[in-house]
C-alpha cells in the first residue's frame, strides 16, 4: 500500500467536489488539531466478529530445526479446517515455518531462499543482532534469490519469532502465512527443569480471513485504521484446535502472531495462568493471574496446571472481553482452543519461586529522554486516506534517520498515546527494554510487563515510559507499531545507533 493520500465519498458539501486545495486544508487541519478528537469517529473502528469452530481438529506442532537451517519462502498449500488452501509458508505444506531452537552462545546460519514472486526478507523479532542481519525493510531478497543470515545468539533464553519485513508488504506477507518461532535456551533456564518435551507446547495464535481457496488480504481504508482482523482463530496453523493433556503442569509458549487482534487470555475454568516469562525471557519471579492481554508481536511463557481435573474434562483457552481497547478490540469473548484431559498422572513439579536474575535498570541511569507521540489523524465521516498512523507526526521514510543514539547509551523513551483512540503495540528492533511506568488508561504496569520486553502495548489514552540499554551493534534499526496495518501505513521510524 502506498502512503498516498486520497479521498473518496467525502460528504463534505452537497456538491461533493473537492479541489486539491481543500484536500490540503483538511489534512493540515487533521495534523494540527488532531481533528475531531474525542467527539470524532474512528472510521476503522468496527470489530470483526470471531466465528468459533468445533475444536475437533488436532493442534499441530511445528517441526523443529536447529540454528543452521534453510527457510524457503514459497507459495504453498495448507490444510486448515479440513480444506486445502493457498498460503505463503517458509516450508512446503503448512502455514508456519519450522520452530528454530538454539542455545544461547551459538553462531547461527540461516539460508533464506526467496521462492515468492515478490521481494521479501526475514526479520528476527526479539533477537539482538547486527543491523545488516536484522531484516531491515529495505534489505530485501529478490524473487528467486537467496541470502544467508548469520549471527551469534548473545542473549538469554526466551521465545522470539521471525517474519517478513519488506517495506509496505509486511502485513500482507505475514497475514498470508509467513511466520515462525525462534526458541533460545540457556543453562539458567535448564536448571529450573520446567515442563519440557510434549509438556512444553508452543502456541502461535493468529486470526485469519479465509475463503474456500485461500487467505484474503485486502484491507479497506477502515481496516487500515483498526488493523486487519479475521473471523477465524487459528493456533499453530489449525482453526479452533484441541490437544489432549495429562493431569499435570504444562509450559505454554505463546505468541500473538496476529496482524492486529489483541487477546485477553484466560482459561475457561478460571484456573491460574502462572506467567514465568515474556518477550525477553524469564521473569524474576512467577506472577499468577487469571487473565492477561497479549498484543500482536508479544510473547508469553505460562505455566498451567491440569492436576485435579478428571479425565474427560474440557478446558478452553479463551479470549475475554476487555475495556480500553478502542472501538474495534475487546468487544467479544471467544474460545481459542481446547485442552482435553485424557490421562491421569502424578506430577512432582513445583513452580520455582525464583526464576531468573533480572537487574532493574534505574531510571537515573538514562542519559536522554525522547518523546514519541503515537497517533492517528482522526477523520470526518467518509474521508479516506493512508499515511494516517504517525509517530511524532511522521510516517516511515527510508531516507530519513529519525533518531541518532549513541552506542551503549541508556535512554528513556516515552510512548505517548494520550490523545489517541487506538491501541498501538510498539516494538523496537535491536534491543530489549524495561517498562518503567504507564500513565492514563490502565494507569499501571501489568504482571507480564516486568522483566525484559521488545513490544509494549500502549492503549488509547495511555503514555508508557520504557528504559532502553542500547548495545554496541551500530547501524540503522526501525521501531514501529506492531499492528502491521499501522506499520505498513507508515507508523514506523528509524534510529541509528552510532
Ligand atoms: Cu516483529 Cu519490526 O517486527
Ligand atoms: Cu522486531
Ligand atoms: Cu498502531
Amino acid at each position: 500500500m502506498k502512503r498516498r493520500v486520497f479521498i473518496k465519498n467525502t460528504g463534505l458539501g452537497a456538491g461533493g467536489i473537492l479541489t486539491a486545495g481543500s484536500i490540503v486544508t483538511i489534512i493540515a487541519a487533521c495534523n494540527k488539531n488532531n481533528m475531531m478528537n474525542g467527539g470524532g469517529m474512528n472510521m476503522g473502528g468496527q470489530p470483526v466478529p470471531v466465528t468459533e469452530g468445533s475444536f475437533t481438529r488436532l493442534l499441530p506442532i511445528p517441526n523443529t530445526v536447529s540454528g543452521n537451517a534453510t527457510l524457503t519462502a514459497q507459495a504453498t498449500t495448507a490444510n486448515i479446517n479440513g480444506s486445502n488452501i493457498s498460503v505463503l509458508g517458509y516450508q512446503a505444506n503448512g502455514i508456519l515455518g519450522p520452530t528454530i531452537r538454539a542455545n544461547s552462545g551459538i553462531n547461527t546460519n540461516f539460508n533464506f531462499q526467496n521462492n515468492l514472486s515478490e521481494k521479501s526478507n526475514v526479520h528476527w523479532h526479539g533477537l539482538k543482532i547486527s543491523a545488516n542481519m536484522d531484516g531491515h525493510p529495505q534489505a530485501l531478497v529478490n524473487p528467486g534469490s537467496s541470502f544467508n543470515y548469520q549471527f551469534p545468539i548473545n542473549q538469554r533464553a526466551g521465545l522470539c519469532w521471525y517474519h517478513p519485513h519488506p517495506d509496505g508488504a509486511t502485513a500482507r506477507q505475514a497475514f498470508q502465512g509467513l511466520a515462525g518461532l525462534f526458541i533460545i535456551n540457556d543453562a539458567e533456564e535448564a536448571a529450573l527443569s520446567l515442563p519440557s518435551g510434549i509438556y512444553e507446547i508452543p502456541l502461535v495464535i493468529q486470526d485469519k480471513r479465509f475463503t474456500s481457496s485461500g487467505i484474503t488480504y485486502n484491507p479497506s481504508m477502515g481496516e487500515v485504521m483498526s488493523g486487519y482482523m479475521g473471523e477465524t482463530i487459528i493456533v499453530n496453523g489449525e482453526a479452533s484446535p484441541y490437544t489432549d493433556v495429562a493431569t499435570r503442569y504444562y509450559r505454554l509458549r505463546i505468541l500473538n502472531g496476529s496482524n492486529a487482534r489483541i487477546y485477553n487470555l484466560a482459561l475457561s475454568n478460571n484456573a491460574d495462568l502462572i506467567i514465568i516469562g515474556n518477550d525477553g525471557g524469564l521473569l524474576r519471579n512467577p506472577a499468577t493471574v487469571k487473565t492477561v492481554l497479549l498484543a500482536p508481536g508479544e510473547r508469553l511463557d505460562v505455566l498451567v496446571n491440569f492436576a485435579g481435573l478428571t479425565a474427560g474434562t474440557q478446558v478452553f483457552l479463551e479470549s475475554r472481553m476487555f475495556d480500553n481497547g478502542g472501538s474495534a478490540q475487546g468487544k467479544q469473548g471467544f474460545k481459542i482452543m481446547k485442552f482435553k484431559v485424557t490421562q491421569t498422572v502424578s506430577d512432582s513439579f513445583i513452580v520455582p519461586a525464583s526464576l531468573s536474575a533480572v537487574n532493574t535498570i534505574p531510571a537515573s541511569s538514562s542519559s536522554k529522554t525522547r518523546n514519541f507521540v503515537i497517533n492517528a489523524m482522526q477523520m470526518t465521516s467518509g474521508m479516506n486516506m493512508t499515511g494516517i498512523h504517525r509517530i511524532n507526526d511522521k510516517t516511515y521514510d527510508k531516507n530519513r534517520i529519525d533518531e541518532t543514539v549513541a552506542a551503549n547509551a541508556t535512554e528513556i523513551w516515552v510512548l505517548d498515546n494520550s490523545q489517541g483512540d487506538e491501541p498501538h503495540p510498539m516494538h523496537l528492533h535491536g534491543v530489549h527494554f524495561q517498562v518503567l511506568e504507564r500513565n492514563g488508561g490502565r494507569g499501571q504496569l501489568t504482571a507480564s510487563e516486568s522483566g525484559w520486553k521488545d513490544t509494549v502495548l500502549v492503549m488509547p489514552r495511555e503514555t508508557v515510559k520504557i528504559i532502553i540499554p542500547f548495545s554496541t551493534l551500530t547501524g540503522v534499526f526501525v521501531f514501529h507499531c506492531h499492528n502491521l496495518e499501522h506499520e505498513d501505513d507508515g507508523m514506523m521510524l528509524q534510529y541509528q545507533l552510532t
Side-chain angles (χ1 to χ4, degrees), residues 423-424 481 483 486 491:
H424 301 294
C481 179
N483 176 315
H486 294 180
M491 200 170 202

Side-chain angles (χ1 to χ4, degrees), residues 4-7 27 221 377 379 383-388:
R4 76 200 139 88
V5 170
F6 64 97
I7 290 190
I27 294 161
M221 289 302 109
M377 293 159 58
M379 302 185 293
M383 178 178 156
N384 291 321
M385 59 182 75
T386 57
I388 35 194

